[in-house]
Amino acid sequence: MKVFVTGGAGYIGSITATELLNAGHDVIVYDNLSTGHRDAIPEGARFVRGDLGQPKKLARLLAEERPDAVMHFGAASLVPESVANPAKYYRNNVAYTLNLLHAMLETGVNRIVFSSTAAVYGIPKTIPITEETPTNPINPYGESKLMIEWMLRRFDEAYGMRYAILRYFNAAGALPNRGEHHDPETHLIPLVLQVALGQREHIKIFGTDYPTPDGTAIRDYIHVQDLASAHILALEALDEGSRTYNLGNGQGFSVKQVIETARSVTGHPIPAVEAPRRPGDPPILIASSQRIQRELGWRPRFTSLREIIASAWEWHRTHPNGYRR
Ligand code: UFG
């Protein structure tokens, strides 16, 4: 298939684009490089630098390329930033996705795989979280992604646009030559590995009084290559109907367990200091991904935290400056 990948220069988008090419698909990457990296885009993909805020350009490009489907990774995705600057999230995520959907309607492109998030659930009352768990986002980032989910459902009902909504839990890990590089970095695993590289003094543990066994928050870390394989399965199943899936590996690890595992993987002491809770952080997020396993036969290949952190460490160790030249 020919796949139009928005945000294909970003962490998850570039790795999925790489796996799409490996699976024999054609890829066009559309990215404004505001947070993505030119060097993350795989060789073999056509790259067009552009913004989702340019509807005419989008429609022209879709009319010219006639892709079979869109994979839509392009978004603003920092929870604290979304609280401080909600306008950016409703514009970049909601309004710009509407531009994309309009351009798809105009040009007859009617399949989309959409990057959603565990943040649509807010603070769930039950764990593990299934797709039936009520959505109740607690920040503009999660709201913006949920609004897009609503648009997709209505566009399917009204115009027959087929969608796969993939709600990611905590993406982590790397390929040998592609990994996580955000500026500024806010995610736990890359920050911990920056301490191991000597680029930071210590890691702050945000909250040690959560109702969890060691008092620190628990997350479900899923390897980015397992996310990529789920996208490809979801793409190939779109003709059979629209669907919504959680993507996690079904196990929770606390912040302290992540730091401890990183110490063991890197052989570095990784000093940690206790700090107050970070506003907006739910105590525990663990996915049930039974639905995609049952319906599409998806299986995560990286089930141990150690393997996930080891793959991230390999990338950070060999690319201490990320994609910076
Ligand atoms: N944490 C620390 N110290 C740090 C950074 C993070 O203790 O320096 C903690 C956080 O408080 C949290 C855990 O480590 O408890 C994981 O934090 P991340 O920032 O790595 O990831 P989040 O769980 O906050 O966010 C991820 C995605 C978001 C998505 C969210 C869903 O990155 O896009 O999951 O809740 F919205």
Side-chain angles (χ1 to χ4, degrees):
M1 277 190 242
K2 192 190 239 192
V3 189
F4 185 82
V5 180
T6 76
Y11 170 43
I12 304 171
S14 66
I15 288 176
T16 305
T18 303
E19 300 288 73
L20 278 169
L21 290 165
N22 290 342
H25 297 289
D26 288 332
V27 173
I28 305 133
V29 165
Y30 189 72
D31 198 299
N32 63 7
L33 299 183
S34 65
T35 56
H37 307 277
R38 180 71 187 81
D39 289 343
I41 301 166
E43 263 177 54
R46 176 179 175 202
F47 172 49
V48 178
R49 186 168 182 167
D51 199 281
L52 294 166
Q54 296 171 287
K56 290 209 180 91
K57 180 169 182 165
L58 266 174
R60 230 184 7 251
L61 195 59
L62 291 181
E64 178 188 314
E65 290 285 352
R66 304 241 149 247
D68 298 292
V70 170
M71 280 195 187
H72 180 31
F73 298 91
S77 62
L78 296 175
V79 169
E81 182 188 55
S82 80
V83 176
N85 188 5
K88 176 172 174 181
Y89 282 71
Y90 300 127
R91 188 195 57 215
N92 280 19
N93 296 358
V94 184
Y96 286 4
T97 298
L98 191 54
N99 286 342
L100 175 66
L101 298 180
H102 266 298
M104 289 172 67
L105 284 182
E106 273 174 43
T107 54
V109 179
N110 63 357
R111 297 191 191 98
I112 181 167
V113 180
F114 170 61
S115 304
S116 189
T117 168
V120 299
Y121 296 110
I123 302 181
K125 293 206 173 71
T126 51
I127 295 290
I129 300 168
T130 72
E131 294 82 357
E132 308 298 328
T133 299
T135 51
N136 188 17
I138 56 169
N139 51 59
Y141 171 64
E143 286 172 359
S144 72
K145 291 284 184 172
L146 186 58
M147 289 182 198
I148 296 167
E149 291 194 4
W150 291 340
M151 296 199 289
L152 291 174
R153 292 213 183 93
R154 296 301 186 190
F155 275 48
D156 185 10
E157 285 165 18
Y159 316 120
M161 188 181 281
R162 292 277 182 270
Y163 65 80
I165 289 168
L166 302 180
R167 294 174 175 162
Y168 313 159
F169 283 63
N170 286 61
L175 303 186
N177 57 356
R178 279 191 181 74
E180 193 165 4
H181 175 177
H182 297 113
D183 218 350
E185 188 53 76
T186 61
H187 296 100
L188 179 63
I189 292 177
L191 286 173
V192 164
L193 297 177
Q194 288 176 0
V195 179
L197 281 173
Q199 296 173 340
R200 283 174 198 273
E201 299 265 294
H202 56 253
I203 185 76
K204 282 189 189 158
I205 300 177
F206 295 142
T208 50
D209 58 350
Y210 282 108
T212 60
D214 68 17
T216 65
I218 291 179
R219 294 289 181 274
D220 179 333
Y221 296 88
I222 172 170
H223 196 281
V224 63
Q225 211 172 348
D226 286 327
L227 278 182
S229 70
H231 282 74
I232 295 173
L233 289 174
L235 170 76
E236 291 168 349
L238 278 176
D239 281 344
E240 293 150 36
S242 295
R243 40 194 97 223
T244 301
Y245 294 125
N246 284 344
L247 285 175
N249 80 43
Q251 290 169 275
F253 297 98
S254 72
V255 173
K256 281 189 175 163
Q257 284 176 306
V258 168
I259 297 170
E260 208 40 68
T261 306
R263 286 178 179 139
S264 152
V265 166
T266 63
H268 189 280
I270 311 185
V273 299
E274 299 191 355
R277 291 184 184 196
R278 191 172 65 177
D281 275 351
I284 306 178
L285 293 175
I286 302 173
S288 162
S289 302
Q290 294 296 316
R291 186 190 275 179
I292 187 168
Q293 302 206 21
R294 195 174 59 240
E295 292 185 9
L296 302 187
W298 176 75
R299 296 278 176 282
R301 280 175 41 206
F302 296 82
T303 49
S304 88
L305 181 62
R306 193 181 172 85
E307 281 177 290
I308 293 174
I309 293 183
S311 80
W313 175 234
E314 190 53 26
W315 151 263
H316 282 273
R317 199 176 56 75
T318 53
H319 301 77
N321 300 313
Y323 292 106
R324 227 171 282 122
R325 288 178 196 244

